[in-house]
Structure formats: C-alpha cells, structure tokens
Amino acid sequence: MDKPRLLIVEDDDHLRRSLVRSLRPWYVIDEASDGKDASERLTSKRFDVVLSDINLPQVSGVDLLRLVRDCDLDVPVILMTGQPSLDTAIEAIDLGAFTYLKKPFEQGALERALGRASKLGRLARMKREALASFGDRAALSGDRAGLAASFQRALDSLWVAFQPILDGQTQKTIGFEALLRCKEPSMPTPTAVIEAAERLGRVHDLGRQVRECAASSFTPTDPNVLLFVNVHAAELDDQELYSPNAPLVKLASNVVLEVTERAALDDVADTRRRARKLRNLGYRIAVDDLGAGYAGLTTFANLEPEVVKLDMSLVRNIQDSPVRSRIVEGITDLCRSLSMKVVAEGIETMHEFRQIKELGCDYLQGFLFGMPEPVLINGVER
Ligand code: C2E
Ligand code: MG
Ligand code: MG
C-alpha cells in the first residue's frame, strides 16, 4: 500500500514542524497553518486523514469539521485539543470527528489514532467507490391501513430460515445467518416486511419477534457454531435489545449481530455506548452489506465491528471484474489489518468461489454452499 496522505492543520509553527518531522517516515504530509489554507489544500487534493488543532484563528473545531466535510465526505479528522476546548471536541465527535487527543499527548497514542483513522478513511472511500459502481435501492409502495393489516399477519406467521456460513479455507460450517420469513403473501421478501415495519413505526416489534424466534429455533449440534442475526439500525434504540433477560442473551457469546450499512446510523444517539453495552452482554457486531449503502465512516468508527459482510453486488461475477476484485482485495486487506473478519455473501458459482477464496475472504456464504432453510443444514463442504 502507498503511504497514506496526511494533512496537518496547526497554527503553532513549532508544534506543526515537530509533528511533521515525527510523522514523515509514515505519511505523505501537507501542512496548513489556518482554516483557509487547510480548505484550499482539501479542495485540491485527497487526504486519508486530517490531524488538526481545534483552536485555529477564527475557526472552531466544529467549523473546521464542516469545512472538511464540505470538501471531502470520507476523510477522518483527528482533533488536538487543550483542556478549555474539551467540550468543543466532544461536540465535534458527535458531528463525526474521528477522535480527539488531549494535549500533551504521547507519540504512541498519536501514531495509533492516525494509523487506524487512515485505514478507515481508505475503507470509507472504497465503500463509496463500490456504491457508485454497483449499489441500488428498492422503493416501497402501498396504502397505510392495508399495510398495517398485512404487517400484523406477517408478524403472526413469522419464522426464521438459517443459511450456513463457511470457513474460507476449510469450507467447514462456522455459523448460520437467521433470515426473516413469513407466510403473508403480500410480503414475499424480508425487505417488504422490514419496509412495512419502518413505515408503520413497528421496527422494534419486528426485531423482538425475530430475535425471540431465532433464539428458540437455533439448536446446533456443535456448541461453537455462531448465529448471525440481522438488527435494523433503529433496533439499537430498543431497550429490549439490552435487557439481560432477553431471549437471545443466553446465546450471546455465539451471536454476531449484523447491522446493515444500507441504513445510516445518524438517527441513533450514542452508538458507541450502545455497541459497548452489546459487547458487555457478550455479543459480537458485524457491519452487513458493505458496499451497498453509504452509511459514512462513523458506522465503522462507532461500531468497531468484529466482522464485515461484503454485499453480494461485489461478489457477483467477480472473476470477470478486475474492479470488483481490486475493491474486495483492498477491503479484505484493510479489514485484516484492523482485526476484522470478512464474510463474502451471495456466492453462487464455483468461479465466484475460487476468485473470492484467492482474494483472502475469511468466511463464505451463498447458494453455492447452502440455501436458507427452516432447519440447520451444514453447507456442502468442498
Ligand atoms: P442480508 O442480511 O444481506 O442477507 C442475505 C440475503 O442474501 C438473504 O436474502 C439471502 O437469502 C440472500 N442470499 C444468500 N446467498 C445468496 C446467493 O448466493 N445468491 C443470492 N441471489 N442471494 C443470496 P433475504 O433472506 O431475502 O434477505 C434480504 C435482506 O433482508 C437481508 O439481507 C437483510 O438485510 C434483511 N433481513 C432478513 N432477515 C432480517 C431480519 O430478521 N431482521 C432484519 N432487520 N433484516 C433482515
Ligand atoms: Mg445479514
Ligand atoms: Mg448482507
């Protein structure tokens, strides 16, 4: 990988020069001493990470973040702050700053924050590239009263199907994804049920029922097998998800909660704290459908997922697409360096399987190995 590009914005000449000196071995560095200079550089060049003083002449930390976002939607911003500006730094984090470092900080802390931020920044850019090339989004139509009735029938007849997920090297089944199903004919796909729940404000009801159903139908013979459960971003606001008495909690150490990146997490307050609470209950977290939606860098920074699931639009006919291959390889390498596991979803053919395996994805899922079924069936081992 090339050296990441870093923009340092600091009005204190002495500090700026010393930062440049200490970071030059690892970064290609631009420096700016005020907001205007920074803005000019941001409009003319792409950076992987911005390191900025929070107290620049005439520019607050929050203004600075807006200024950066006007020019670049992806680049992570690390703020350097003294004690009096701590509140501003916290406000800036809420708005999407990556993190802040309290002055004086250790060189090690600075290098760790920069290393992680620049990788996430590159990942965010690749996701956007993937979306621009392959993403799409379906629309929903229908009348509200009819929808409410159909939705209730869907809830009353809800069940979950299980699709195997295999280890990329051994092709042994390591887990199953629980996928929502129902017997309501007007809602033939899970997406139809979910969109109805969104329109009717019943996402929490749907999620509770899915989790209860997944917990009661998951009866693996091997105790190490994982259960992947989809969680709508809005479910992160449901207190029941965090209840120690919830039905899924007794399986928590085997459960990976998948939060899709198709929906933005912007409406969910305090995502970091929520993710921590889920981990304290024993759950692991995955970002689902990576490359299909643009939820922003904050999804990653806030959830710090253990697992990343590539959207199947990236997998489809990957053997014939150098662009998809390059994106999947890049994402896989970055995820590995961030200690995240990568699942490739939607593998249908041997050609896709071979190419994905060569690109180093950790886990595999798709019709080639196993369909979603009402009972746990191990994937075909190849
Ligand atoms: P997802 O979580 O990305 O799930 C994978 C989807 O890909 C599933 O579709 C699965 O059947 C399908 N799939 C798996 N392998 C292949 C393949 O090789 N080829 C093709 N063409 N498709 C494959 P499904 O079950 O229709 O689910 C669609 C989406 O609905 C899910 O995508 C997920 O975002 C959402 N969903 C499903 N169940 C739940 C749920 O319980 N809760 C929430 N919040 N969302 C759910
Ligand atoms: Mg999923
Ligand atoms: Mg997915």
Side-chain angles (χ1 to χ4, degrees):
M1 263 187 253
D2 306 334
K3 274 190 196 176
R5 304 192 69 93
L6 164 67
L7 174 63
I8 298 178
V9 191
E10 169 62 69
D11 59 323
D12 175 335
D13 292 341
H14 177 73
L15 177 57
R16 192 180 63 249
R17 285 196 200 110
S18 113
L19 285 167
V20 170
R21 253 195 320 277
S22 71
L23 295 168
R24 185 158 282 147
W26 300 286
Y27 294 91
V28 177
I29 300 178
D30 269 41
E31 43 183 312
S33 55
D34 58 39
K36 187 166 167 291
D37 192 4
S39 160
E40 280 166 13
R41 283 170 200 277
L42 282 158
T43 33
S44 60
K45 281 186 191 169
R46 286 247 212 123
F47 294 94
D48 295 304
V49 57
V50 174
L51 175 66
S52 177
D53 184 15
I54 202 164
N55 274 331
L56 295 165
Q58 288 119 34
V59 185
S60 76
V62 171
D63 292 339
L64 178 99
L65 198 65
R66 294 216 171 91
L67 193 144
V68 172
R69 285 293 170 258
D70 277 347
C71 311
D72 187 324
L73 286 169
D74 296 316
V75 66
V77 177
I78 297 176
L79 295 167
M80 299 176 282
T81 168
Q83 198 61 42
S85 50
L86 200 56
D87 284 349
T88 328
I90 292 167
E91 194 187 339
I93 294 278
D94 276 346
L95 267 176
F98 181 75
T99 192
Y100 62 85
L101 296 168
K102 236 184 321 175
K103 290 179 188 170
F105 43 80
E106 287 173 7
Q107 182 71 14
L110 173 66
E111 285 171 15
R112 278 193 300 279
L114 280 171
R116 196 170 164 82
S118 60
K119 282 174 192 156
L120 287 170
R122 286 184 166 190
L123 193 57
R125 232 186 270 297
M126 282 189 188
K127 288 195 302 157
R128 187 179 291 287
E129 207 179 315
L131 176 65
S133 315
F134 312 112
D136 75 338
R137 188 165 169 76
L140 177 83
S141 60
D143 145 271
R144 192 179 167 90
L147 193 68
S150 310
F151 178 71
Q152 192 54 50
R153 286 194 297 271
L155 267 195
D156 293 343
S157 63
L158 185 141
W159 59 284
V160 296
F162 292 101
Q163 186 180 28
I165 298 176
L166 281 67
D167 182 283
Q169 293 307 315
T170 62
Q171 281 89 66
K172 293 251 159 43
T173 301
I174 59 105
F176 292 87
E177 179 172 7
L179 293 159
L180 150 64
R181 299 288 182 263
C182 71
K183 300 195 177 96
E184 166 56 26
S186 69
M187 296 188 179
T189 64
T191 316
V193 186
I194 293 156
E195 290 184 348
E198 285 169 347
R199 278 184 72 190
L200 297 165
R202 300 199 57 191
V203 171
H204 291 189
D205 293 333
L206 178 62
R208 288 178 188 197
Q209 191 130 342
V210 166
R211 295 196 299 274
E212 188 184 332
C213 186
S216 63
S217 356
F218 186 68
T219 49
T221 43
D222 176 348
N224 296 317
V225 164
L226 300 175
L227 171 61
F228 290 71
V229 180
N230 293 284
V231 170
H232 191 288
E235 281 177 66
L236 295 175
D237 260 342
D238 182 3
Q239 281 318 307
E240 204 263 357
L241 185 61
Y242 308 92
S243 158
N245 305 317
L248 202 56
V249 169
K250 55 182 185 301
L251 302 174
S253 60
N254 286 51
V255 172
V256 182
L257 298 174
E258 298 187 7
V259 182
T260 180
E261 88 133 12
R262 285 174 196 271
L265 283 178
D266 299 350
D267 294 339
V268 182
D270 214 356
T271 328
R272 271 180 215 226
R273 192 175 52 84
R274 286 167 202 272
R276 215 171 24 247
K277 272 171 94 174
L278 292 171
R279 287 208 170 81
N280 287 341
L281 288 168
Y283 293 116
R284 272 167 272 184
I285 298 176
V287 166
D288 198 2
D289 306 324
L290 186 105
Y294 190 73
L297 176 67
T298 39
T299 310
F300 268 85
N302 290 344
L303 291 179
E304 300 210 31
E306 284 88 358
V307 179
V308 163
K309 297 188 80 175
L310 300 178
D311 191 68
M312 67 180 83
S313 57
L314 286 172
V315 170
R316 192 61 56 244
N317 292 321
I318 190 164
Q319 74 283 357
D320 297 328
S321 168
V323 181
R324 285 186 177 90
S325 292
R326 185 175 57 75
I327 292 174
V328 168
E329 189 172 31
I331 292 177
T332 306
D333 285 350
L334 280 164
C335 286
R336 181 163 304 125
S337 70
L338 290 160
S339 307
M340 299 169 183
K341 298 281 188 203
V342 177
V343 183
E345 279 191 302
I347 301 174
E348 292 182 353
T349 66
M350 284 302 287
H351 294 295
E352 289 166 349
F353 167 45
R354 284 199 202 101
Q355 180 69 3
I356 284 288
K357 197 173 165 195
E358 194 170 312
L359 297 176
C361 293
D362 301 285
Y363 302 132
L364 316 170
Q365 182 179 354
F367 295 165
L368 180 67
F369 309 107
M371 303 295 288
E373 302 279 358
V375 289
L376 304 181
I377 298 175
N378 282 3
V380 183
E381 284 153 21
R382 285 164 195 276

